[in-house]
Amino acid sequence: MNDGHCRIFLDAELYIERVKTAEIVRELVPMITCVYLSSGEAIDRHTDFACNEEFASFLAYDLAKWIDQYTGRSNEFELCGLSLSGLAAAHAAITYPQVFPRILCQSPSAWWNDEWLAKHIDGKNLSKIKCWLSVGDRETDENVTHEPTGMVQKTSQVSSCRRLTQAISKAGATVKHNLYEGGHDPVCWSAELPSALRWLSTPK
């Protein structure tokens, strides 16, 4: 039964086509409301998902308001993202914890801009947040660049995600850090998704 929860999946193309999220969600809670937000072109991902204040505001105000109006109720949102959109989900929830109290961050690009997000959490009260933050044990690459904008990744996903987990936890959030066997791979994200969504949906 739909209980007023709504899941927003960023990177819709990846979640629908490669993670097979719709099939997984139907098996778990058939009647829950899900919204899939397209990432647009590759360059748009690098613009919108890189801790972009304007994009976070759009999610918290414009999109959330539209969903509430469309469903005819006030929803509690779960914001979900993977890779760079996982960073965007974390940033939006940290900026607007009252709107996004539950977040799913699968292999978030916590390395972005010398781990900027983890360094900008001090002083925030994130006690309302429940966060599943995962990363693969093979995500150990360092000093690589990412096209199309040449984003520089100095630290590994494993190390940067661990430090982001510690920073969010220190700010009062309830965090599940899931180190899974595998790499930066939709197959791995799909495998952990049922457990992640069940955990997020339980009372804090």
Side-chain angles (χ1 to χ4, degrees), residues 34-47:
C34 292
V35 174
Y36 296 89
L37 186 65
S38 173
S39 57
E41 301 295 331
I43 197 168
D44 296 325
R45 295 184 78 254
H46 282 210
T47 301

Side-chain angles (χ1 to χ4, degrees), residues 58-85:
F58 160 75
L59 294 175
Y61 293 108
D62 299 289
L63 183 61
K65 182 179 180 180
W66 178 84
I67 293 171
D68 283 348
Q69 290 177 341
Y70 184 81
T71 58
R73 64 167 185 271
S74 179
N75 289 277
E76 180 173 322
F77 294 103
E78 296 177 17
L79 185 59
C80 310
L82 48 81
S83 192
L84 198 57
S85 66

